[in-house]
Amino acid sequence: MSITAINVRNQFRGTVKEIIEGPVVSEVDVLTPGGLIVTSVITTRSIKDLDLAVGREVVALVKSTEVSIATL
C-alpha cells in the first residue's frame, strides 16, 4: 500500500528525533522541517516492523487523536 492510498489528510514529513521504547508500546518523536515535534505512541513491534531509528525520514499521519507513522 502506498502513502497516497491512505485516507489521512494531515501528513507531516519529518525525521525521527527520539524513540522511547517500552515492552509493549513506544513513543516516537518526529521533527518536522518547520521545527514542530509530532509524537506518536505505537506498538514496539511496529517500531521493529517499520525499522524505525533516529534519523530515519518518515511521514507522521494524523487522524483524530491518532498519529501513525509511515516510512518513506
Side-chain angles (χ1 to χ4, degrees):
M1 172 175 33
S2 69
I3 294 174
T4 56
I6 298 173
N7 185 20
V8 176
R9 296 186 187 271
N10 299 310
Q11 300 182 12
F12 299 94
R13 286 184 174 266
T15 304
V16 175
K17 180 180 179 191
E18 183 179 13
I19 298 173
I20 301 171
E21 241 181 81
V24 178
V25 295
S26 298
E27 292 180 37
V28 180
D29 287 343
V30 176
L31 178 63
T32 67
L36 175 71
I37 293 179
V38 179
T39 302
S40 176
V41 177
I42 63 176
T43 65
T44 301
R45 181 176 183 174
S46 292
I47 299 279
K48 295 176 188 346
D49 289 348
L50 291 170
D51 196 26
L52 293 181
V54 172
R56 175 104 193 239
E57 288 189 49
V58 296
V59 176
L61 307 165
V62 181
K63 187 168 185 175
S64 188
T65 60
E66 177 182 333
V67 177
S68 302
I69 300 290
T71 55
L72 299 175

